[in-house]
Amino acid sequence: MLIRRRRGWEIPESAATPERLYLSRRELMGAGAMLVASGLAGPAAAQRVGDLPDPSASLYPARQNPRYTLERPVTPEAKSSTVNNYYEFSYAKNVAPSMTRFERRPWLVKIDGLVDNPQEMGIDDLLKKVQLEERLYRHRCVEAWSMAVPWTGFPMKDLVALAGPKAGAKYVRMETFLNPKVASNQKDFRYPWPYVEGLTLAEATNELAFLVTGVYGKPAPGQFGAPLRLVTPWKYGFKSIKGIVRFTFTDKQPLSFWEEVQGAEYGFWANVNPKVPHPRWSQASEEDIATGNRRTTELFNGYGEYVAGLYAGRETEKIWF
């Protein structure tokens, strides 16, 4: 799905750390002091920040929700952790080696727009307001490969409830972090960084929409979108934005990242449909990344009973891409 397009504008360097984040950085600074004491200071230590312990580790493993089960085996972590699209860091599928400088803390989440409760909070403060659970979901990439993953997180409708959307809110626009110093491909000005995605409010409050913080019974590593990502299992994977820092409630349909890059191939909706081919390949079947076997693609990735009602009466619209 790699598409390059020449851009005439540039992205500025990340802003200085806001004063409100000073205290939340003390824990990270303390960890850096420990590295100094152990003789790991300097450039080598900087390469290890992604290995620092996650302060939310005690929350895992979370209780598994039996409502969300699978008819296929869970994809082994050794496989799923090396097949990830995360273009901020790498255009290759094995992203983890390119994420050595990625920091999961401090991480500020902003909620704004048409809401009664605009707010900013650290990811660990957000985790205190929700109840984590594990769900087994199928994951279908637009590139026609698939896997099955044990995600840990909380329903997106819980975040919507925290925000308190106003009557005019119809969509949720999500935005990922912007830090070219650690995500080197964000220096590639041919792409409109930061990554942006969006859902209708009805989609965001559907029971399947899941905000993920962990995977395989522990905090999610960077390549899975830590510390906060979206999972919408009835849509193609590019809708499941990683590294989220902002949720904006709006009355206007957001222009998503891939829609801006190549709207003829990647639209706002991106619902899985085997009968609607991608312009460059069929979507009728998919390859299991663990076994290499192919299986028939299911409408809404097999989740029609949960989400088909969201699109009733819109059959004549282009709601697939």
Side-chain angles (χ1 to χ4, degrees):
M1 199 173 70
L2 180 57
I3 299 172
R4 296 176 179 270
R5 190 175 68 174
R6 179 68 59 182
R7 291 281 171 178
W9 44 263
E10 296 187 355
I11 297 171
E13 291 292 326
S14 298
T17 303
E19 182 178 0
R20 62 180 175 273
L21 292 183
Y22 171 76
L23 293 178
S24 67
R25 291 191 67 88
R26 293 181 64 187
E27 182 177 354
L28 183 62
M29 293 171 65
M34 291 178 63
L35 289 173
V36 172
S38 62
L40 293 175
Q47 295 295 323
R48 296 174 61 89
V49 296
D51 298 329
L52 293 176
D54 191 305
S56 68
S58 63
L59 301 177
Y60 304 87
R63 178 189 65 88
Q64 186 180 115
N65 189 328
R67 179 168 171 78
Y68 309 100
T69 59
L70 294 170
E71 80 297 341
R72 66 184 71 168
V74 167
T75 302
E77 183 180 5
K79 186 66 175 180
S80 63
S81 63
T82 59
V83 181
N84 308 100
N85 284 326
Y86 208 162
Y87 286 173
E88 286 86 341
F89 296 95
S90 175
Y91 299 130
K93 289 289 188 286
N94 190 7
V95 178
S98 301
M99 302 189 68
T100 54
R101 298 183 64 86
F102 179 64
E103 300 179 18
R104 292 175 291 181
R105 299 296 190 281
W107 195 272
L108 192 69
V109 178
K110 183 175 184 177
I111 300 172
D112 63 2
L114 297 176
V115 295
D116 292 328
N117 305 308
Q119 53 194 294
E120 292 180 317
M121 69 189 90
I123 182 64
D124 295 303
D125 291 326
L126 174 59
L127 291 178
K128 294 174 184 177
K129 299 177 182 290
V130 297
Q131 182 65 49
L132 296 183
E133 62 182 51
E134 183 179 82
R135 296 184 179 186
L136 306 183
Y137 275 170
R138 296 181 289 277
H139 180 86
R140 174 62 156 80
C141 181
V142 73
E143 298 169 340
W145 54 261
S146 65
M147 57 185 176
V149 186
W151 302 111
T152 301
F154 58 95
M156 188 173 179
K157 63 182 179 181
D158 291 352
L159 182 135
V160 174
L162 287 174
K166 294 182 180 294
K170 297 179 181 179
Y171 301 91
V172 184
R173 178 187 184 275
M174 291 157 283
E175 185 175 301
T176 194
F177 72 95
L178 181 62
N179 188 348
K181 293 180 179 179
V182 300
S184 61
N185 281 356
Q186 288 184 335
K187 298 175 184 177
D188 187 342
F189 302 131
R190 291 168 292 187
Y191 285 101
W193 308 111
Y195 199 101
V196 170
E197 260 304 340
L199 297 174
T200 66
L201 194 58
E203 290 174 323
T205 54
N206 181 272
E207 66 171 282
L208 288 185
F210 203 48
L211 289 172
V212 165
T213 61
V215 68
Y216 292 95
K218 57 183 181 292
Q223 67 266 37
F224 280 104
L228 186 65
R229 71 167 290 171
L230 172 70
V231 170
T232 48
W234 73 98
K235 294 178 177 286
Y236 291 116
F238 68 87
K239 290 293 292 186
S240 294
I241 181 173
K242 301 178 177 75
I244 306 172
V245 297
R246 187 175 184 181
F247 298 86
T248 301
F249 290 73
T250 176
D251 58 352
K252 297 178 176 60
Q253 182 173 304
L255 179 65
S256 60
F257 179 90
W258 283 109
E259 190 178 7
E260 182 174 353
V261 170
Q262 183 55 276
E265 297 187 358
Y266 307 103
F268 175 80
W269 299 98
N271 295 318
V272 177
N273 187 343
K275 295 183 179 180
V276 178
H278 184 279
R280 290 181 282 130
W281 56 78
S282 171
Q283 295 289 16
S285 67
E286 62 199 52
E287 180 181 345
D288 186 312
I289 65 167
T291 66
N293 297 331
R294 299 201 71 85
R295 57 166 50 92
T296 300
T297 299
E298 298 181 67
L299 180 63
F300 296 119
N301 202 23
Y303 292 101
E305 64 180 296
Y306 299 94
V307 300
L310 295 172
Y311 312 103
R314 312 187 69 168
E315 290 78 8
T316 60
E317 298 181 31
K318 188 178 180 181
I319 61 172
W320 312 109
F321 282 107

